[in-house]
Amino acid sequence: MSLPVFAALVLFVLIFFLRMPIALGMLVSSVGYFILRGADLGMVVNQVVNTYFTNFVIIAVPLFIFTANVMNSGKITAMIFRFADALCGGMRGALGHVNVLASLIFAGMTGSAIADAAGLGKIEIEAMNDAGFDPPFSCAITAASATIGPIFPPSIPLVIYAMLSGTSVGALFLGGMIPALLLTVFLMVYISIIAAVRSYPRGKWLGLHLFLALTLQALPALLTPVILLAGIYTGVMTPTEAGAIAGLYALIVSVGIYRALGWSDLWQIMKNSIRDIGATSIMIGAAAVISYIVAREQIAASLGTWILSISNSPWVFLLLVNGVILLLGMVIDTSTIQLIFVPILIPVARALGIDLIHFGLVVTFNMMVGLSTPPFGMLLFITSSISNTSLKEVMREILFPVLAMIGVLLIITYVPDVVLFLPRRFGMM
């Protein structure tokens, strides 16, 4: 390791332990590298600007963020929850199943685990607690089900991965469907078992007439993912255009149909979106500089040589990747993992003949497991905070849902057709 790289790494670790913003640490360590290299600091700006000018798919990220904020502020989240509640009828532990199904539906609109936990999460946890569920269990299921969002299309992390790897966004979205449905089934089986053991309450079947009425009421909200995905897969819209259409449609539904947003609400949505987009944009720009340094220092090539010296088996490599990312996910934010570590691993995966669509879903799914895994698990902090539940108790309840997620992770890692079946079926690879 050269002195400039070592110094940059020390700077980054120092800023991390000082609990300063990760993006700042990336930029400061990059500047330190260029100074020690005697290179022009203008390269930092150049790399950031080039990233935004040459990767048009990035524009989809702020559009999906805006869509998520509109849905959280409008009545769309409540409509989705009521529809899922009616759908589950008289099942044992019905509201637990509602939690998971609502997350799956909401995932098809925002592609954000944080949006799911912050938006639907409060509604779900309050409803479950009022029905007699233990608050830590309610929080754990909400955190676990929120991870479906970035796996089922559309997905902000998959859009960013497409930017990093040059793969098709549409193929990645299709590849995420079956893993998301598998996770949904695994979580619902777990909820059924716990509900029977703890005698959690059954839901109420509302009758066909009321069910149809609620379905009709929720239909404008439910059409959002249909419009979005149909537009992408028929070729009518690019993912970026689909993000814009989804945001506009969410506004029309919230304002024109549900009449849930006023001017003050819209202003707050704009402020929240600008803040979220700004934070994400800085991270992506800083990661572009780090990627330049990685390429210049041939770090990915060195890593590839080292891994191949251990084994040239793609299955061993995937096992190592899963282990490393799972450990990193326990202590580091997922955006940091995706923007710093994943670009280093992509060339190695390519050299080993691993399909990059498959690799993208494995990595993304693994990062979502990290969102719910102690001690860092951001979703645990969010659900604990919005419900005033002990974080320690939530961490105890999340153990088995995390094991269920790891089970699905192993399936999609070692049975690639689970991911690749739909992209191949639709002729996208």
Side-chain angles (χ1 to χ4, degrees):
M1 183 184 296
S2 66
L3 177 61
V5 173
F6 179 76
L9 184 61
V10 170
L11 274 173
F12 179 78
V13 172
L14 180 62
I15 288 176
F16 176 79
F17 280 111
L18 289 174
R19 303 186 69 81
M20 296 174 71
I22 293 295
L24 178 63
M26 294 162 70
L27 287 173
V28 169
S29 58
S30 300
V31 169
Y33 168 85
F34 282 109
I35 289 174
L36 289 175
R37 272 289 182 198
D40 183 3
L41 288 179
M43 287 295 297
V44 176
V45 178
N46 188 46
Q47 290 301 313
V48 173
V49 172
N50 281 343
T51 297
Y52 288 112
F53 271 107
T54 58
N55 291 283
F56 299 108
V57 72
I58 298 176
I59 302 172
V61 175
L63 293 171
F64 286 134
I65 289 173
F66 173 73
T67 303
N69 286 332
V70 171
M71 290 183 173
N72 282 337
S73 299
K75 292 174 71 174
I76 293 178
T77 51
M79 288 295 174
I80 291 169
F81 182 81
R82 291 175 63 186
F83 170 74
D85 189 17
L87 195 63
C88 287
M91 298 171 65
R92 169 74 69 180
L95 281 177
H97 299 295
V98 170
N99 192 321
V100 176
L101 287 177
S103 293
L104 179 65
I105 297 168
F106 196 69
M109 305 183 193
T110 66
S112 168
I114 304 302
D116 187 348
L120 274 173
K122 190 172 181 62
I123 300 171
E124 292 166 339
I125 292 170
E126 287 179 357
M128 289 179 71
N129 292 348
D130 290 344
F133 288 78
D134 299 316
F137 177 80
S138 304
C139 292
I141 292 301
T142 302
S145 67
T147 61
I148 297 170
I151 302 163
F152 195 83
S155 162
I156 293 173
L158 288 180
V159 170
I160 295 174
Y161 176 82
M163 175 200 74
L164 297 172
S165 63
T167 49
S168 163
V169 175
L172 286 166
F173 281 2
L174 281 173
M177 286 186 176
I178 294 178
L181 292 172
L182 267 179
L183 178 55
T184 300
V185 171
F186 272 51
L187 289 177
M188 291 182 75
V189 169
Y190 168 71
I191 290 167
S192 297
I193 294 169
I194 295 298
V197 171
R198 299 181 184 177
S199 299
Y200 283 145
R202 293 181 180 275
K204 285 185 178 180
W205 170 241
L206 302 176
L208 182 61
H209 178 73
L210 189 54
F211 172 73
L212 291 176
L214 285 172
T215 302
L216 188 63
Q217 196 175 28
L219 190 60
L222 298 174
L223 281 175
T224 308
V226 176
I227 293 170
L228 195 151
L229 296 176
I232 292 174
Y233 297 126
T234 57
V236 175
M237 297 180 277
T238 66
T240 301
E241 291 165 345
I245 294 297
L248 177 62
Y249 181 76
L251 269 179
I252 291 171
V253 169
S254 296
V255 176
I257 298 178
Y258 296 139
R259 302 188 182 281
L261 294 180
W263 288 109
S264 59
D265 300 312
L266 188 57
W267 175 242
Q268 189 60 47
I269 287 169
M270 295 301 294
K271 289 196 294 185
N272 291 341
S273 298
I274 290 168
R275 183 196 62 219
D276 297 341
I277 292 165
T280 303
S281 299
I282 292 170
M283 281 290 292
I284 293 172
V289 185
I290 295 292
S291 297
Y292 171 79
I293 294 172
V294 166
R296 177 170 176 164
E297 294 289 332
Q298 297 186 324
I299 294 173
S302 301
L303 177 65
T305 302
W306 176 72
I307 290 174
L308 290 173
S309 69
I310 298 173
S311 172
N312 60 1
S313 167
W315 307 118
V316 173
F317 170 71
L318 288 171
L319 180 64
L320 289 171
V321 167
N322 276 335
V324 169
I325 292 182
L326 194 57
L327 289 173
L328 289 173
M330 294 179 184
V331 293
I332 300 177
D333 180 59
T334 54
S335 58
T336 307
I337 298 171
Q338 185 170 30
L339 293 169
I340 295 179
F341 296 101
V342 173
I344 299 174
L345 297 171
I346 288 172
V348 183
R350 186 183 286 113
L352 289 171
I354 298 171
D355 186 277
L356 291 187
I357 302 295
H358 175 223
F359 185 67
L361 264 301
V362 169
V363 168
T364 303
F365 198 107
N366 204 327
M367 291 191 301
M368 294 311 106
V369 177
L371 275 176
S372 297
T373 304
F376 185 80
M378 190 182 297
L379 294 176
L380 302 180
F381 288 93
I382 291 174
T383 55
S384 171
S385 174
I386 63 179
S387 63
N388 294 317
T389 305
S390 165
L391 181 62
K392 183 178 180 181
E393 292 179 1
V394 177
M395 288 183 178
R396 188 181 300 120
E397 285 283 359
I398 199 68
L399 175 62
F400 285 105
V402 166
L403 290 176
M405 286 188 276
I406 291 174
V408 177
L409 174 63
L410 291 174
I411 291 172
I412 67 171
T413 299
Y414 295 108
V415 187
D417 284 344
V418 172
V419 171
L420 301 178
F421 173 75
L422 288 178
R424 286 173 178 159
R425 184 78 173 177
F426 282 80
M428 302 196 74
M429 56 180 300

